[in-house]
Amino acid sequence: MKKIALFALIVVTVGCFRAAAQKTKKTNMKKVLFVLTSHSDLGNTGEKTGFWVEEFAAPYYELADKGVVIDIATPLGGQPPIDPKSADESFATEDTKRFDKDTALQAKLSKTHKLTDIKESDYDAVFYPGGHGPLWDLAANKDSDALIAAFYTNNKPVAFVCHSPAVLKNVKVNGEFLVKGKKVTGFSNTEEAAVGLSEVVPFLLEDALQANGATYSKGADWNPYAVEDGLLITGQNPASSKLVAGKLLEQLHAKK
């Protein structure tokens, strides 16, 4: 009888330890919000745009594979538009090929949260993938502006790649542009000229960042280049996506 009681005590104790360990692990898990564009028209060209697949897929898998929990939001909610050019085989990478087969992630992407329903307090960081879409909607979205400012003022990393630093255009903290005096990068004027869209986009990202007082720098066109200035992380082009995610991951790990 005593042996049975002892065994039962051991089972209960082990169960408690496991439950406590699982609770601690869950508490320590980091949660990141991805914000994508809802805009699909490439100016008045009659062509379509949206978010760039590589800039979503590469950072998503880089973080998710390390145990980071990710939610996705857009201004309108639901399925965000994918830039059709980014889905072309000529731009395929291992991450985009993985995305093409990832029915679970595709289903998740089709049901994004509305930006107005998002609370900064629910997340440890925010990441904005690029594509030309953000130049039209997120760059002029007050909910996005307020969200970024909230993350930043609450000492949480804010990360952007390629065209998505455009969403910083109107973001202010304590009455000053967030990028003022900060080191940043983003899709360069020369890269925009190379894709033939300098006269199509509503503004040139490089110029807009500098106009707001940022210290802009860039690497060679189409090569990986990222800049980290405190909580602010920016990447120049699609090739910089994983580099930005890596820097974001380091900051998340540094925060207990």
Side-chain angles (χ1 to χ4, degrees), residues 163-214:
H163 282 92
S164 75
V167 308
L168 294 165
K169 189 172 185 288
N170 298 306
V171 178
K172 291 186 176 182
V173 173
N174 298 323
E176 297 279 4
F177 288 113
L178 187 154
V179 299
K180 184 178 180 179
K182 300 290 193 308
K183 297 175 182 178
V184 300
T185 190
F187 204 64
S188 66
N189 288 353
T190 52
E191 287 169 320
E192 200 69 81
V195 297
L197 295 174
S198 298
E199 303 301 321
V200 174
V201 293
F203 60 90
L204 292 172
L205 174 55
E206 179 181 333
D207 292 351
L209 291 170
Q210 292 178 326
N212 285 352

Side-chain angles (χ1 to χ4, degrees), residues 5-164:
L6 179 60
F7 178 75
L9 179 61
I10 292 173
V11 170
V12 171
T13 303
V14 170
C16 288
F17 274 123
R18 285 179 177 172
Q22 289 175 349
K23 185 177 181 180
T24 300
K25 184 178 180 181
K26 188 174 182 179
T27 302
N28 291 335
M29 289 178 72
K30 299 298 182 180
K31 193 172 184 182
V32 173
L33 175 70
F34 273 43
V35 181
L36 293 169
T37 181
S38 290
H39 186 86
S40 62
D41 294 321
L42 188 60
N44 58 3
T45 64
E47 296 181 24
K48 292 298 181 180
T49 187
F51 74 88
W52 198 261
V53 176
E54 165 69 6
E55 296 167 28
F56 168 74
Y60 188 97
Y61 291 129
E62 181 73 9
L63 297 173
D65 288 349
K66 303 296 191 304
V68 175
V69 177
I70 299 172
D71 280 348
I72 311 170
T74 56
L76 300 180
Q79 176 70 52
I82 294 175
D83 189 310
K85 290 186 179 68
S86 73
D88 190 277
E89 287 185 8
S90 60
F91 293 110
T93 66
E94 290 306 312
D95 291 303
T96 63
K97 291 175 183 177
R98 178 177 173 183
F99 171 76
D100 290 341
K101 299 176 182 178
D102 193 341
T103 55
L105 180 53
Q106 290 174 26
K108 180 178 180 178
L109 187 64
S110 71
K111 301 173 183 176
T112 66
H113 301 282
K114 278 190 177 181
L115 204 53
T116 51
D117 295 333
I118 295 297
K119 295 180 180 178
E120 162 272 323
S121 57
D122 292 334
Y123 301 92
D124 298 293
V126 65
F127 179 85
Y128 281 69
H132 281 90
L135 292 168
W136 277 273
D137 63 350
L138 288 169
N141 187 295
K142 292 183 178 180
D143 294 312
S144 175
D145 294 346
L147 190 67
I148 294 167
F151 273 96
Y152 192 82
T153 55
N154 282 289
N155 198 37
K156 296 177 181 179
V158 291
F160 313 85
V161 67
C162 200
H163 282 92
S164 75

